């Protein structure tokens, strides 16, 4: 375990915690107080750390995600499970509010060729976010939904190109998880820098 | 407090917790066991709830953000504090990795007219994310940085239009916070739907 810690850069106490929490599979026991860990363990440790520390996911969410990655289910099923775990839960909103948001979203989806079934976790989460924004009186954000949707189509093309390019089949689910979690963080950061620049352009007097 | 709870939809126990944690200012005491709360309290409660439940922020982060919103500092300063609180911390990465990421990011910033000083919290956070993605062997995601940067410029224009349109001066900081936190969630959701549609277009056989 000391070697695993040195190799992965993760402290021993943290490794023990991940083992206890079922995020990391146990090593192969070679003696009462020794176990063998392999490249797979190092890789998994780096993934867990990235999802927790950079992605900001909870340990419980990471547990669900790695269980899905490790399962023998077909890739599209695993991706569904992972996406469900990664999607924020739906806010509790009044029925008529929900109806308005669902209609708005459905119209947008028709226009852009997006499909979502009743099982899709993204739609309820989006509906909750839209209702919350409206309840806070920031409708101006929702006025831009059409532009945001067009931009979403463009970024999804770039996202899919990252999968096409180089990922071997047996790592496609992991790549999709990393792409989703760290891809969100990456784009958030770029968006902040671009917002600051656009703010400076519009308000050069520093308002 | 029962009225405040009914008006805001936040349970009494949660309101007491927010008061104890310093997220919500105390009401004006009118008798030993009664206090008067006003529209500002209802508004603040909705904001806190949105940031915690939809935005996924910790109570500690929300405390920092509302303290910034409430301060008498100039708007640009407050926005800086809020942005620092909202930005994920920088991952711990080796020096040579950090150098590579910083150079890549600086080149991108020059091209797009983005500026960031040594105090800017976004750049270190982005650098950490880039290094983590690379350490996980998902460089394909970084190959698209140029496209992501162009898309970031476009979304920042839409973002700034939401501020221009309708927000009175005294609520501009709150609007920027809501726009940042809920705007990220909103776009994440749209991106998921667009990714699913693009995946179906590219892999119609359900791979």
């Amino acid at each position: 375990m000391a070697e695993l810690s040195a190799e992965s850069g993760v402290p021993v106490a943290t490794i023990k915690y991940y083992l206890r929490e079922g995020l990391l599979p146990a090593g192969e026991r070679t003696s009462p107080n020794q176990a063998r860990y392999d490249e797979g363990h190092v890789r998994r440790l780096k993934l867990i750390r990235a999802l927790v520390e950079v992605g900001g996911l909870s340990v419980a969410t990471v547990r669900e995600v790695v269980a899905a990655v490790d399962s023998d289910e077909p890739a599209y099923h695993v991706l569904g499970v992972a996406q469900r775990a990664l999607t924020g839960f739906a806010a509790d909103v009044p029925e008529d509010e929900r109806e308005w948001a669902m209609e708005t979203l459905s119209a947008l989806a028709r226009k852009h060729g997006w499909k979502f079934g009743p099982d899709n976790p993204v739609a309820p989460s989006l509906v909750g976010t839209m209702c919350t924004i409206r309840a806070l009186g920031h409708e101006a954000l929702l006025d831009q939904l059409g532009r945001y949707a067009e931009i979403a189509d463009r970024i999804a093309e770039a996202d899919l190109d990252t999968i096409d390019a180089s990922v071997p089949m047996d790592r496609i689910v992991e790549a999709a998880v990393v792409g989703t979690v760290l891809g969100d963080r990456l784009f958030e950061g770029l968006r902040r820098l671009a917002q600051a620049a656009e703010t400076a352009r519009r308000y050069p007097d520093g308002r």
Side-chain angles (χ1 to χ4, degrees), chain A:
Chain A
M1 191 176 290
E3 281 175 53
L4 180 60
S5 170
E7 179 75 21
S8 63
V10 180
V12 168
T14 307
I15 295 178
K16 285 184 177 170
Y17 172 63
Y18 291 159
L19 282 166
R20 265 200 321 274
E21 291 289 323
L23 273 64
L24 186 71
E28 187 197 339
R29 199 146 287 285
T30 53
S31 81
N33 56 1
Q34 289 250 312
R36 181 176 294 132
Y37 299 95
D38 60 18
E39 265 311 300
H41 287 92
V42 176
R43 218 185 140 66
R44 175 53 53 88
L45 264 179
K46 287 183 181 170
L47 177 65
I48 295 168
R49 218 187 180 194
L51 296 178
V52 171
E53 297 194 358
V54 182
L57 300 190
S58 70
V59 165
T61 301
V62 173
R63 190 193 298 120
E64 274 184 75
V65 170
V66 299
V69 169
D70 290 341
S71 80
D72 288 331
E73 303 285 332
Y76 73 90
H77 175 83
V78 174
L79 279 172
V81 173
Q83 191 164 77
R84 223 175 310 279
L86 296 174
T87 299
F89 76 105
D92 201 21
V93 286
E95 191 52 46
D96 54 331
E97 286 285 302
R98 184 174 296 280
E99 219 166 89
W100 154 80
M102 200 62 210
E103 275 171 27
T104 305
L105 184 59
S106 298
L108 211 57
R110 271 195 301 278
K111 188 174 168 196
H112 288 265
W114 302 341
K115 291 195 173 68
F116 47 86
D119 274 0
N120 187 305
V122 178
S125 169
L126 255 176
V127 161
T129 303
M130 290 165 67
C131 292
T132 304
I133 288 169
R134 204 188 195 195
L136 288 172
H138 293 284
E139 289 89 348
L141 198 55
L142 300 173
D143 292 343
Q144 303 295 332
L145 260 179
R147 272 164 91 185
Y148 288 139
E150 279 169 36
I151 296 170
D153 276 340
R154 281 198 52 199
I155 205 168
E157 286 168 24
D159 291 337
L160 267 285
D161 284 348
T162 71
I163 301 270
D164 277 339
S166 66
V167 185
M169 197 54 193
D170 63 334
R171 279 181 44 205
I172 198 122
V173 174
E174 189 195 307
V177 168
V178 170
T180 300
V181 177
L182 300 192
D184 280 349
R185 291 298 92 75
L186 188 68
F187 187 71
E188 267 175 34
L190 299 174
R191 186 177 181 176
R192 292 284 168 287
L193 294 180
Q195 283 168 343
E198 183 66 17
T199 304
R201 259 191 291 276
R202 294 195 190 194
Y203 309 105
D205 57 349
R207 180 187 104 157

